[in-house]
Amino acid sequence: MRKPLIAGNWKLHNTVQQSEQLARDVIEQIGQTEEIEIVIAPVFTALAAVNTICKNSNIQLAAQNCHCIDSGAYTGEVSAPLLADVGCSHVIIGHSERRQYFGETNQFINAKTKAVINTDLTAIICVGETLEQRESGELFDVIASQVKSALADITATQMAQVVLAYEPIWAIGTGKTASSEDAEEVHAYIRGILYGLYGASIADKCRILYGGSVKPNNISELMAEDDIDGALVGGASLSADDFAAIVRYKKTLKISPQ
Ligand code: PGA
């Protein structure tokens, strides 16, 4: 049984003060939830402050990116050990906005994944196709190459520190969600790749999140699919009410406020 994971990616939004307020509001609604893992990813500059607020809750902290080298002459970068130092337990790696706007390659994403794992943090590795790739029939090749190269040299034991996120690029911030059947098709395909690489017991344990315009009104349908184990939420995670409603996607779950 895979524990669902809902992660909020706040992207480039919110000052330290606004991030603190949003974290407080999230904790007030869902801060002691145990049946679902909840992760929030504020901007770098707010991580330490948000960590202080999250300390006595079950909300975990993620960074949105990191460098692949721990320290040195890399002006402007932040490394995995420094993220651990401010309380992060997770790092989002290879988000499509990083691939698209900052030229991140599959190889670079693999190096970052290793840095995160070697720091004892969990990597949330994002994969996803463009609309052009989907329409030209390249979907499965693109996904296979992104998944396999991100996981190159990652051992079966290290897979306990990996979460995958399928985020079709055409669904991010556009209001277009992949239908739950379309999403499930890709999730099942990704799990099949994990079977091939690591065998059934690892493949069955690995969480695969869906991301791309996840909202309170589409989460239940997505989560009803066998291979969808959670969500990476962008826009809707900037509202504590919407994010909490997404976490409460199933009436029978015990969702506890702080
Ligand atoms: P969205 O973003 O929910 O705003 O579509 C998802 C993401 O980029 O992780």
Side-chain angles (χ1 to χ4, degrees), residues 9 11 95 97 167 171-174 211-215 232-236:
N9 173 10
K11 305 196 180 181
H95 190 280
E97 286 150 16
E167 299 206 307
I172 295 179
T174 58
S213 299
V214 173
K215 308 283 177 218
L232 183 52
V233 186

Side-chain angles (χ1 to χ4, degrees), residues 31-258:
Q32 293 303 331
T33 300
E34 281 180 4
E35 285 182 61
I36 301 184
E37 240 182 274
I38 304 169
V39 176
I40 53 176
V43 291
F44 284 136
T45 49
L47 285 170
V50 171
N51 180 48
T52 304
I53 288 171
C54 290
K55 266 205 173 119
N56 296 317
S57 75
N58 283 339
I59 310 283
Q60 303 176 82
L61 196 63
Q64 299 173 17
N65 177 36
C66 76
H67 191 48
C68 58
I69 293 172
D70 289 354
S71 66
Y74 299 97
T75 303
E77 291 297 330
V78 176
S79 67
L82 296 185
L83 295 172
D85 186 44
V86 291
C88 289
S89 53
H90 295 67
V91 185
I92 299 170
I93 296 292
H95 190 280
S96 62
E97 286 150 16
R98 305 265 353 140
R99 295 178 190 258
Q100 203 176 340
Y101 306 136
F102 302 97
E104 292 196 5
T105 60
N106 283 335
Q107 202 184 4
F108 195 32
I109 288 160
N110 174 242
K112 289 177 182 224
T113 301
K114 288 175 183 162
V116 170
I117 290 174
N118 290 334
T119 309
D120 290 333
L121 302 178
T122 297
I124 302 176
I125 305 170
C126 304
V127 299
E129 81 289 0
T130 63
L131 191 56
E132 266 173 16
Q133 289 166 332
R134 177 172 272 261
E135 286 176 347
S136 64
E138 292 168 76
L139 164 65
F140 293 109
D141 287 347
V142 169
I143 299 296
S145 112
Q146 289 180 348
V147 170
K148 285 181 185 164
S149 49
L151 298 178
D153 308 322
I154 304 300
T155 66
T157 315
Q158 291 174 325
M159 283 301 288
Q161 290 164 256
V162 170
V163 172
L164 291 167
Y166 169 57
E167 299 206 307
I169 294 170
W170 48 270
I172 295 179
T174 58
K176 285 186 207 156
T177 330
S179 70
S180 49
E181 294 82 14
D182 284 347
E184 170 61 19
E185 189 184 19
V186 181
H187 280 238
Y189 177 71
I190 293 172
R191 201 171 306 285
I193 296 173
L194 299 179
Y195 268 81
L197 293 174
Y198 299 104
S201 72
I202 303 291
D204 286 338
K205 275 194 204 120
C206 184
R207 266 107 34 110
I208 307 174
L209 315 183
Y210 171 78
S213 299
V214 173
K215 308 283 177 218
N217 65 6
N218 57 25
I219 182 72
S220 312
E221 203 187 318
L222 289 159
M223 292 300 287
E225 298 291 344
D226 285 350
D227 292 291
I228 300 182
D229 308 312
L232 183 52
V233 186
S237 71
L238 294 170
S239 149
D241 288 349
D242 284 351
F243 189 62
I246 290 171
V247 170
R248 285 195 198 94
Y249 70 92
K250 200 166 155 191
K251 300 241 166 353
T252 53
L253 289 168
K254 287 194 200 81
I255 307 295
S256 318
Q258 176 80 311

